[in-house]
Amino acid sequence: MSIVFLVRHAQASFGAENYDALSALGVRQSRWLGEYFAARGLRFARAMSGTMLRQQDTARGILAGMGEGAPALMMHEGLNEYPGEALYTAHTGLQPRAHQLSDARDYWRTFRAAMQAWSEDRLADVPESWLDFGARVRAALAEAVRDTARDDAVLVVSSGGAIGRLLADLVDAPASTAIELNLQCRNTGFTELIAGREALRLLSFNNVPHLDCAERRASITFA
């Protein structure tokens, strides 16, 4: 059986014109995680990310931090995040960015409600259904571990919503659990999954040992 290290992307540019770009801190978070993996003696047999810029750049930062011998990065759009802006607009009729900047706490409260409405198929004119989102994330993970050997380690970089959706499915939890897991995912937090012949199993969730020290604790972020 192989071990999947499922990583949420590093800090992006919340509230900026281009959220998809990593912040300066996000670049450092990615590199630190790669250095942590290298110090543990990890070597990845495969590395895969979504096609979003923040996911690709996080994966590349991790691999750069690991040094020589890292695998080439593969990409799979099934690991991409849900269409968050479209969900927010379908729920509220508003563009999200102004709300992010004016009242972040109320924004997240509203966004949670939009996610719940989406999961209950109550939003019109959205580009992807809740069911289709779950199906393509599961298909991407299956591709990431396809033909891996026993004791292989696989790096997968995605986003909080995709990770929360996958984990809720693994433990047969409701959509509300997927939404809560999404909102608790820390930047460059990694979740460990055991990939057996028949199924994926959860081993650990949302680990940030590369940030959990006095000089880096302020670098633990959620955006």
Side-chain angles (χ1 to χ4, degrees):
M1 60 190 174
S2 54
I3 302 292
V4 178
F5 289 80
L6 178 59
V7 180
R8 190 202 175 190
H9 64 78
Q11 186 188 60
S13 300
F14 182 74
E17 286 290 346
N18 182 17
Y19 170 70
D20 202 25
L22 292 186
S23 69
L25 174 58
V27 172
R28 294 195 299 273
Q29 289 170 334
S30 303
R31 186 86 184 201
W32 287 335
L33 181 54
E35 291 168 355
Y36 168 79
F37 285 151
R40 278 187 58 183
L42 270 175
R43 289 293 179 267
F44 291 113
R46 180 174 296 158
M48 181 181 286
S49 78
T51 63
M52 291 176 159
L53 184 62
R54 61 189 182 272
Q55 298 167 339
Q56 294 182 52
D57 286 349
T58 298
R60 291 192 176 104
I62 292 168
L63 296 174
M66 295 185 73
E68 295 183 3
L73 179 63
M74 304 167 61
M75 283 175 280
H76 195 303
E77 64 182 7
L79 295 170
N80 289 356
E81 186 61 292
Y82 52 73
E85 290 191 0
L87 301 182
Y88 184 92
T89 299
H91 181 64
T92 65
L94 303 171
Q95 293 299 314
R97 185 167 179 267
H99 196 181
Q100 291 172 359
L101 296 175
S102 64
D103 189 339
R105 180 171 296 182
D106 189 57
Y107 166 79
W108 286 115
R109 200 161 36 236
T110 304
F111 192 84
R112 187 192 302 264
M115 288 282 292
Q116 192 65 46
W118 180 45
S119 74
E120 296 167 359
D121 202 24
R122 291 191 283 110
L123 296 183
D125 300 322
V126 292
E128 180 176 42
S129 73
W130 177 255
L131 288 178
D132 287 346
F133 174 51
R136 53 103 163 161
V137 173
R138 291 191 298 273
L141 259 292
E143 186 64 27
V145 300
R146 188 184 308 279
D147 299 325
T148 52
R150 184 179 179 86
D151 299 326
D152 277 350
V154 178
L155 174 67
V156 176
V157 179
S158 186
S159 292
I163 293 169
R165 183 72 170 89
L166 177 73
L167 297 186
D169 283 354
L170 287 184
V171 298
D172 198 25
S176 58
T177 299
I179 295 166
E180 290 302 319
L181 291 172
N182 169 19
L183 297 177
Q184 297 306 314
C185 281
R186 298 181 284 196
N187 295 119
T188 60
F190 65 86
T191 291
E192 295 170 291
L193 304 173
I194 299 173
R197 289 185 179 180
E198 303 298 328
L200 291 167
R201 298 195 303 277
L202 178 62
L203 183 61
S204 70
F205 172 63
N206 209 20
N207 306 289
V208 288
H210 57 299
L211 304 177
D212 193 14
C213 55
E215 62 271 22
R216 293 182 184 171
R217 205 156 289 134
S219 299
I220 298 175
T221 59
F222 293 84

